[in-house]
Amino acid sequence: MEKTILSVKNLSKTFNQRNHSVDAVNDISFDLYKGQCLALVGESGCGKSTIASIIAGFTAPSGGCVMYHNTQLSFQNKSAQQQRSTMQMIFQNPLSSLAPRMSVLENMKEAVIYHEKWSNEKIESEAIRHLVRMGLSEKYLNRYPHQLSGGECQRIAIAKALMRQPDLLICDEITSNLDVCVQAEIIRYLIELKQSGISILFITHDLSLTGQLCDYIAVMKNGKIIESNRTEEILNHPKKEYTQTLIKAAF
Ligand SMILES: Nc1ncnc2c1ncn2[C@@H]1O[C@H](COP(=O)(O)OP(=O)(O)O)[C@@H](O)[C@H]1O
Ligand SMILES: [Mg+2]
């Protein structure tokens, strides 16, 4: 039996603005299993980032709940952070994960300093271990974010996230700013992380990125999941016209 690590149940979010409201997420449910990858796919504005933000605890939902390791996640006070200590979020812009005036080592140290009582030697050896996992080396420890390419920067953002030994990575359009070759490279590293047992929620507008990495795909439109299934079913036998349009746009 597959072990469910994350279960989103009937999640809704309405943003109320002065004279109108937006139903950004409308009765969304899905499960993510240990060591698997689920893609949330859909055009810009369909509610993907709002879901990520609710799971990560930055936004409170209007309805529904999120279960993580069979515990219902809170959106208030310290327990919300504590409950999420083994999930990490990575964003489209890698620079938003790295402090610009801190070296790579200082950035990676910051990820653990308030959580672990590690010596400097332990922090450095863990930092090197995760850089190597992402195809980099200790040579990067003393570089600053502006001295990195976009792809290197994103790989370091992932390595920084790995410092916290996460079992869930939420990746929100993390390859969208990168060229095709670098995208493929990042996907390869994500596949390796998945094989090591980490679960991944992979958010993208581009179905062409899902084939190798993702086990399941949920297609979203206007805040709803309109179709979800195993990746090969969605890519080879899409049922909804909208999914077919996304496939045509991607391949
Ligand atoms: N903080 C907010 N306040 C008001 N509306 C928002 C807010 N965040 C997102 N939205 C709206 O919710 C909808 C979904 O946005 P988002 O989740 O960012 O979509 P996606 O990530 O799929 O592009 C959009 O219409 C967006 O304008
Ligand atoms: Mg988004």
Side-chain angles (χ1 to χ4, degrees):
M1 257 274 287
E2 286 163 319
K3 185 177 163 218
T4 306
I5 179 165
L6 178 77
S7 189
V8 167
K9 295 183 195 290
N10 307 105
L11 207 62
S12 297
K13 177 68 187 181
T14 303
F15 290 108
N16 290 310
Q17 289 173 328
R18 210 172 287 168
N19 34 24
H20 73 294
S21 58
V22 182
D23 289 324
V25 174
N26 192 342
D27 197 19
I28 293 269
S29 299
F30 60 78
D31 290 328
L32 172 58
Y33 305 113
K34 181 172 166 45
Q36 298 215 343
C37 176
L38 169 74
L40 281 183
V41 182
E43 66 197 357
S44 176
C46 72
K48 306 180 297 294
S49 293
T50 303
I51 294 174
S53 173
I54 293 170
I55 296 169
F58 305 134
T59 302
S62 312
C65 67
V66 182
M67 307 291 292
Y68 179 51
H69 290 293
N70 297 320
T71 302
Q72 184 170 336
L73 292 180
S74 157
F75 293 89
Q76 288 155 6
N77 63 48
K78 274 202 159 162
S79 71
Q81 265 186 358
Q82 188 81 39
Q83 287 176 326
R84 291 171 174 84
S85 63
T86 54
M87 68 168 77
Q88 289 287 297
M89 186 145 165
I90 301 153
F91 301 91
Q92 179 167 351
N93 177 0
L95 289 172
S96 64
S97 310
L98 302 175
R101 289 176 198 283
M102 281 165 43
S103 69
V104 167
L105 177 60
E106 288 162 344
N107 265 289
M108 293 180 78
K109 188 173 185 172
E110 207 207 33
V112 287
I113 198 156
Y114 304 111
H115 306 274
E116 308 279 356
K117 290 197 178 76
W118 288 352
S119 65
N120 282 335
E121 291 73 27
K122 166 87 173 166
I123 291 173
E124 191 168 324
S125 70
E126 282 294 290
I128 294 169
R129 185 164 79 86
H130 295 304
L131 286 175
V132 169
R133 262 176 115 176
M134 295 308 297
L136 301 165
S137 71
E138 63 181 290
K139 278 193 260 173
Y140 285 83
L141 286 177
N142 297 318
R143 294 230 202 142
Y144 286 81
H146 73 272
Q147 297 169 323
L148 303 164
S149 72
E152 286 168 343
C153 212
Q154 196 60 294
R155 278 147 72 191
I156 286 165
I158 299 170
K160 180 180 172 183
L162 294 176
M163 290 291 282
R164 298 284 302 279
Q165 295 161 305
D167 58 14
L168 171 62
L169 288 182
I170 303 170
C171 301
D172 190 358
E173 303 267 12
I174 68 167
T175 65
S176 299
N177 287 351
L178 304 173
D179 65 55
V180 179
C181 295
V182 181
Q183 277 183 346
E185 198 175 37
I186 300 257
I187 299 282
R188 275 206 314 276
Y189 290 114
L190 291 181
I191 292 171
E192 285 178 19
L193 295 181
K194 199 179 76 152
Q195 286 164 347
S196 77
I198 295 177
S199 309
I200 301 175
L201 182 63
F202 186 75
I203 294 176
T204 180
H205 63 276
D206 183 355
L207 269 174
S208 74
L209 299 171
T210 59
Q212 308 266 310
L213 170 66
C214 304
D215 301 277
Y216 291 88
I217 296 177
V219 180
M220 285 185 65
K221 192 179 181 196
N222 299 332
K224 292 196 160 118
I225 292 178
I226 58 155
E227 179 169 11
S228 68
N229 210 331
R230 292 202 72 94
T231 299
E232 54 275 16
E233 278 300 306
I234 294 283
L235 296 182
N236 298 321
H237 310 288
K239 295 204 168 56
K240 292 282 174 8
E241 208 178 311
Y242 179 69
T243 310
Q244 292 163 8
T245 312
L246 286 182
I247 290 172
K248 279 201 193 106
F251 295 99

